Amino acid sequence: MQTNVVSHINAVRNSGRAEEIMLVKAWRNQKGLKFPSFYLELATIEACRGRKVGHLSENFLATLAYIRDHIETATFIDPANTNNVISEELTLEEKRAVASAASVARRATNWNQIVV
């Protein structure tokens, strides 16, 4: 896969969603999910598009809802190389596992059930 890592870093850095991304990565790691970092970052940025910066808990929950509802069908293209379809890094079964985990997290009534 030909890409430009600097471009990826800049896309994430300039998104203004570093806190949301860190929280989603912590959730992914604690749940042992296969969800490649750049794919997760792009999904988080998309989920937070148009949402207010600084509303971390609301944006995190919106990201979980986005993952639950769209990760199986959303297409994410590498901004550094449009021939790379980032969303093809996971199989449908793997995407369903991530969506299921996000669904469980969204139903949680306590933050300790989502991420600690």
Side-chain angles (χ1 to χ4, degrees), residues 6-96:
V6 173
S7 175
H8 293 184
I9 292 168
N10 288 335
V12 172
R13 184 177 291 145
N14 295 334
S15 72
R17 301 302 179 174
E19 290 180 326
E20 289 88 346
I21 289 167
M22 290 182 346
L23 192 53
V24 177
K25 283 183 177 182
W27 167 77
R28 173 203 60 189
N29 294 344
Q30 290 174 8
K31 303 306 178 198
L33 299 170
K34 182 176 181 184
F35 197 179
S37 287
F38 191 52
Y39 187 6
L40 176 150
E41 293 161 353
L42 291 175
T44 302
I45 292 165
E46 181 61 26
C48 291
R49 186 174 313 284
R51 301 189 63 80
K52 291 184 180 180
V53 173
H55 292 184
L56 183 57
S57 62
E58 292 173 21
N59 293 344
F60 175 66
L61 292 174
T63 300
L64 290 175
Y66 179 87
I67 291 168
R68 176 195 65 206
D69 298 339
H70 301 288
I71 204 66
E72 292 180 33
T73 58
T75 300
F76 291 93
I77 305 296
D78 182 345
N81 181 346
T82 57
N83 292 318
N84 296 334
V85 182
I86 302 299
S87 47
E88 290 179 353
E89 291 184 21
L90 294 180
T91 65
L92 182 57
E93 184 175 298
E94 291 166 332
K95 290 175 185 180
R96 285 182 176 153

